Amino acid sequence: AQSVAQPEDQVNVAEGNPLTVKCTYSVSGNPYLFWYVQYPNRGLQFLLKYITGDNLVKGSYGFEAEFNKSQTSFHLKKPSALVSDSALYFCAVRDGYNFNKFYFGSGTKLNVKP
Amino acid sequence: DGGITQSPKYLFRKEGQNVTLSCEQNLNHDAMYWYRQDPGQGLRLIYYSQIVNDFQKGDIAEGYSVSREKKESFPLTVTSAQKNPTAFYLCASSTGTSGRNEQFFGPGTRLTVL
């Protein structure tokens, strides 16, 4: 069965410090992995994706993510957090057999304090 | 929110009433999706459609219905059979079926049952 776990409901970090938002997955077939960000009362915005190739994926707003096949993880990272990065972050995996289905984690609230 | 519009932004419904949420996209995407978002639970798939005049049930389709008469439109009806309809509803679209493509999301509709 396909699933995504985001083990932390909330991550707190000081502005200027590096941040990591964790994601682990379970999928049949090739893993197609995505990160999205959601601001209050808004839709989700795409940040980055891993399809194949380099394990370090770079995306929007300075975010990057590291794919680790042996640990089945896809952690989101940023070298220097901004207050404006405060939002809800979702990891998602595409069903390996039915590409029309995505599975989302429960979300991690990132708080960046000045 | 990338070429997908949802209306209304807020919707109030009395118990026993059916309501229809609108979703329109101008991205020429073939696939469209409806998700329900509840606090702490991430996104759950209600229905999806790969092409016009075809749609499939997602994980929580009971109490909901959809239609796909036009490529750009995918309205969702929340029926009186849905026991707990108060939630944030998100529409999304995607192009292609190769697994590589991310979803684009609308701004959402917040439904409250009075």
Side-chain angles (χ1 to χ4, degrees), chain A residues 36-40 42-45 87-90, chain B residues 37 88 90:
Chain A
Y36 294 87
V37 60
Q38 185 181 36
Y39 295 97
R42 302 289 299 277
L44 276 66
Q45 296 177 32
L88 188 57
Y89 291 80
F90 288 97
Chain B
Q37 184 178 17
F88 191 49
L90 288 161

Side-chain angles (χ1 to χ4, degrees), chain A residues 43-61:
Chain A
L44 276 66
Q45 296 177 32
F46 169 73
L47 282 178
L48 51 78
K49 63 184 175 183
Y50 173 82
I51 303 300
T52 187
D54 289 341
N55 290 341
L56 186 63
V57 179
K58 294 191 183 297
S60 306
Y61 313 119

Side-chain angles (χ1 to χ4, degrees), chain B:
Chain B
D1 294 306
I4 300 180
T5 58
Q6 291 185 242
S7 62
K9 188 172 177 64
Y10 298 97
L11 185 57
F12 297 90
R13 186 193 97 173
K14 293 182 180 179
E15 285 194 20
Q17 285 182 334
N18 293 352
V19 290
T20 297
L21 283 58
S22 170
C23 176
E24 304 276 333
Q25 54 101 357
N26 62 3
L27 301 169
N28 200 33
H29 286 173
D30 290 311
M32 296 186 74
Y33 311 79
W34 273 106
Y35 291 93
R36 170 180 172 139
Q37 184 178 17
D38 295 284
Q41 293 192 42
L43 278 66
R44 292 183 290 168
L45 182 64
I46 305 173
Y47 269 98
Y48 65 96
S49 169
Q50 293 177 267
I51 56 172
V52 174
N53 293 323
D54 183 62
F55 47 82
Q56 306 295 328
K57 291 182 179 180
D59 301 314
I60 56 164
E62 185 176 351
Y64 300 98
S65 66
V66 293
S67 63
R68 187 86 187 274
E69 297 177 1
K70 299 185 295 183
K71 187 175 184 178
E72 58 270 23
S73 179
F74 191 42
L76 173 75
T77 296
V78 184
T79 75
S80 56
Q82 168 51 234
K83 303 238 180 286
N84 184 21
T86 294
F88 191 49
Y89 290 87
L90 288 161
C91 179
S93 70
S94 179
T95 184
T97 55
S98 69
R100 296 171 175 265
N101 300 304
E102 64 275 18
Q103 293 176 309
F104 291 79
F105 284 83
T109 292
R110 187 166 296 281
L111 173 63
T112 302
V113 174
L114 303 173

Side-chain angles (χ1 to χ4, degrees), chain A residues 75-103:
Chain A
H75 300 330
L76 182 70
K77 301 182 179 185
K78 188 173 183 181
S80 179
L82 300 172
V83 172
S84 57
D85 293 329
S86 299
L88 188 57
Y89 291 80
F90 288 97
C91 182
V93 65
R94 201 154 193 170
D95 190 310
Y97 294 118
N98 180 351
F99 287 148
N100 284 291
K101 297 189 78 174
F102 293 76
Y103 295 89

